[in-house]
Amino acid sequence: MVSSAHEAMHQIFREDPGLFARALPRAGITFPEPTAIQPMDTDLTEIRPLARRVDTLFRVDTANDGAFLLAVEAQSKPVPDKPNSWTYYLAHLYARYRLPPILLVVCRDKATASWAAEPVRVGPPFHTSMAVFPLVLGPGNVPAVIDPDEAADDLALAVFCALAHAKDPGLPAILDALAAAVANTGGETAKRWAEFTEVGLGETPARALWRNLMATYTPRFPGSGTLIEETLIEGEAKGRAEGRAEGRAEDILRILDRRGVEVSEAVRERITACADLEVLGTWLDRSLTATSAEELFAEA
């Protein structure tokens, strides 16, 4: 069963899509600065009855390095079959969108991060036909943020740091700095990140520590059982039934909007009213290159 802690590790990038571009350099990983980031449909299911879903997916545009796809996967423990799925994800994304894909795995413990960083090589011993080199963010390369002022400068990054170090002995100092930053910042944004932290820590002693810290610094923000937690869990469930169609329609409209393609009310209604995932998938592919919204509906 998918947990709120698992969901938080990748959903945080949906809350702040530019977070990965700030977190990776801090981990010593060179990465181009994005000029635009577009959330994309995470459903990689084919026509045959085999469902595959990447946790979070973005199209990233850069000034000098072109566009690429960033697939974010949250991994809580080593799973023998998972590298096979990652290989499939990248091959499918490249074939579907004709854009180079990158895999980013986010972990909460060093052993899992070390496992996830191992290259995946496909082919016989004498020849590698395909290789996957995941980027990994975890407690081993995400610097601990233990200064309240530094945490206040980038609350999203500080929250991600806390989640990445959730199983580390040094977590209390990280949470203490984050609690002080949240209290000093105040407002709805700080409240939301406080709730996100509480939910993202999961059912662990760290969550109790976080609640005590928030009670010390400021009246406790509710997290468990609130809309924040429901949103995280529903992020996985939304891909099913009518929620999947709704999400894909939203992605199409968002991409057209980000690309500056004008969308009439009639076109908007046609997209949002469609419940056929195969048709929506075709429109999604076309939305990446279409010069007008009407091109989505052109006959093959």
Side-chain angles (χ1 to χ4, degrees):
M1 179 178 180
V2 176
S3 67
S4 57
H6 171 94
E7 289 295 286
M9 282 297 286
H10 69 89
Q11 289 264 11
I12 190 171
F13 293 95
R14 299 188 192 182
E15 295 286 326
D16 185 341
L19 173 60
F20 74 88
R22 306 194 301 277
L24 286 166
R26 288 174 61 89
I29 301 173
T30 303
F31 215 74
E33 182 177 354
T35 56
I37 304 173
Q38 300 173 356
M40 299 183 67
D41 186 6
T42 60
D43 185 4
L44 305 183
T45 305
E46 297 184 89
I47 295 176
R48 56 181 177 154
L50 177 63
R52 296 180 185 267
R53 290 177 61 82
V54 66
D55 283 339
T56 291
L57 180 64
F58 296 105
R59 171 183 167 137
V60 181
D61 292 281
T62 67
N64 301 316
D65 296 285
F68 60 89
L69 302 178
L70 181 70
V72 183
E73 282 280 288
Q75 196 67 32
S76 58
K77 62 182 180 181
V79 177
D81 288 340
K82 198 63 178 181
N84 295 335
S85 296
W86 293 340
T87 303
Y88 170 88
Y89 294 164
L90 297 184
H92 179 87
L93 288 171
Y94 185 69
R96 180 174 179 179
Y97 294 109
R98 295 295 191 269
L99 289 174
I102 294 176
L103 172 66
L104 172 62
V105 185
V106 289
C107 306
R108 297 159 67 92
D109 66 86
K110 294 180 180 178
T112 302
S114 178
W115 165 82
E118 287 294 321
V120 182
R121 301 184 186 277
V122 179
F126 58 86
H127 177 72
T128 299
S129 299
M130 181 167 52
V132 174
F133 298 91
L135 295 178
V136 177
L137 287 176
N141 63 355
V142 174
V145 178
I146 57 175
D147 179 79
D149 292 335
E150 183 182 357
D153 286 340
D154 194 333
L155 282 178
L157 185 61
V159 171
F160 178 70
C161 170
L163 299 184
H165 289 266
K167 298 182 180 181
D168 267 18
L171 180 63
I174 297 172
L175 291 181
D176 187 74
L178 178 57
V182 166
N184 293 335
T185 301
E188 287 301 313
T189 298
K191 178 179 178 180
R192 181 171 180 83
W193 282 124
E195 294 178 359
F196 195 102
T197 302
E198 181 177 332
V199 174
L201 290 172
E203 297 297 335
T204 64
R207 175 182 276 187
L209 173 61
W210 175 248
R211 288 173 174 170
N212 289 335
L213 286 170
M214 293 307 296
T216 300
Y217 282 102
T218 189
R220 186 181 72 82
F221 294 127
S224 181
T226 65
L227 181 62
I228 298 290
E229 184 162 47
E230 293 174 6
T231 300
L232 291 176
I233 297 300
E234 288 173 1
E236 180 70 15
K238 187 178 181 182
R240 301 182 179 94
E242 62 273 2
R244 184 178 299 175
E246 180 182 350
R248 189 170 292 184
E250 290 175 355
D251 287 342
I252 294 169
L253 293 172
R254 187 180 295 110
I255 289 172
L256 292 174
D257 178 66
R258 294 290 181 88
R259 295 185 59 241
V261 177
E262 185 175 351
V263 178
S264 67
E265 193 59 33
V267 169
R268 185 178 300 274
E269 289 178 2
R270 181 172 177 179
I271 293 172
T272 56
C274 182
D276 188 320
L277 287 173
E278 186 174 350
V279 172
L280 287 168
T282 299
W283 293 350
L284 180 69
D285 292 344
R286 293 175 178 176
S287 70
L288 296 171
T289 57
T291 56
S292 70
E294 286 70 20
E295 289 183 24
L296 300 182
F297 315 126
E299 293 294 330

